Amino acid sequence: GCLDVPTSGRYYLNGTDVSEMTDNELSEVRNREIGFIFQGFNLIANLNAIENVELPLIYRGVDKKTRHQLAVDSLKLVGLEKRMDHKPSEMSGGQQRVAIARAIAAQPPVILADEPTGNLDSASSREILAILKKMHKSGRTVILITHDNGIAAQARRVVRIMDGKIESDTINEDFDQEAEA
């Protein structure tokens, strides 16, 4: 996610070597290339849903009208069309959806999702996974970090890491047929 710098070697993101970029350059790459869905949501408490989704778009330089439309569209995609004016404290299960809407509003090519269903009930988890699968199907790369083997089993590719080392790397051969269904 360009939040850490490599201790050795080179790291290429979308064909660009980011391993020796300055903090400002890395910030620009993150803003343009990566949508983050944080485990702790990282929403601004005194902003409503639409304002939380618009905030990163301001930093990206998106004009007000376009920014508002992108925010509305992404909130609709995650099922929050009727809660756009609510603040994070006013929507318990909706906070994760706002975080997802914020991550996808700028339509970044890569989505990094850290335990995106960790605080949700099973029905909400299924809905969030369906949204992430839809994003993958639309051409985005979705990297999901989870400790839940049931969620991992639904991915096209599963890389298991133990103590900082890759333990296994498997492809779900049935994923493409499941995604088409």
Side-chain angles (χ1 to χ4, degrees):
C2 295
L3 294 170
D4 291 323
V5 293
T7 53
S8 64
R10 297 264 176 239
Y11 170 37
Y12 290 85
L13 177 63
N14 203 15
T16 301
D17 182 359
V18 298
S19 56
E20 295 189 21
M21 286 185 168
T22 67
D23 286 342
N24 285 343
E25 290 169 328
L26 288 170
S27 180
E28 180 63 31
V29 167
R30 282 191 300 272
N31 194 348
R32 191 177 59 251
E33 301 286 338
I34 304 169
F36 291 92
I37 304 170
F38 296 101
Q39 185 175 7
F41 311 133
N42 291 354
L43 300 176
I44 309 297
N46 62 339
L47 299 180
N48 65 27
I50 203 153
E51 292 165 336
N52 265 289
V53 174
E54 286 181 339
L55 189 61
L57 299 171
I58 292 170
Y59 294 117
R60 195 170 192 194
V62 177
D63 68 86
K64 187 174 185 172
K65 184 178 178 184
T66 304
R67 181 172 69 231
H68 184 77
Q69 191 59 53
L70 288 170
V72 167
D73 291 347
S74 64
L75 284 164
K76 284 181 179 177
L77 183 68
V78 300
L80 289 177
E81 56 274 352
K82 294 180 178 160
R83 308 213 53 208
M84 293 185 197
D85 294 324
H86 289 75
K87 293 191 174 165
S89 62
E90 299 171 332
M91 45 180 162
S92 59
Q95 291 185 37
Q96 190 70 341
R97 292 172 189 268
V98 175
I100 291 171
R102 181 186 56 203
I104 66 174
Q107 302 169 345
V110 177
I111 304 291
L112 290 180
D114 184 7
E115 297 283 0
T117 60
N119 303 318
L120 303 175
D121 60 45
S122 59
S124 295
S125 292
R126 282 191 297 277
E127 291 173 11
I128 296 304
L129 288 174
I131 292 166
L132 293 173
K133 285 179 181 180
K134 185 189 278 186
M135 287 189 297
H136 171 74
K137 198 171 182 178
S138 74
R140 293 191 181 104
T141 298
V142 178
I143 301 169
L144 188 144
I145 293 87
T146 185
H147 289 91
D148 185 323
N149 288 330
I151 291 172
Q154 297 178 53
R156 186 183 71 77
R157 180 178 178 188
V158 177
V159 179
R160 296 189 189 281
I161 299 174
M162 176 76 80
D163 298 326
K165 297 194 184 326
I166 295 176
E167 191 175 83
S168 66
D169 184 350
T170 56
I171 302 290
N172 177 356
E173 300 294 336
D174 298 326
F175 181 83
D176 291 325
Q177 287 88 16
E178 293 169 11
E180 291 173 9

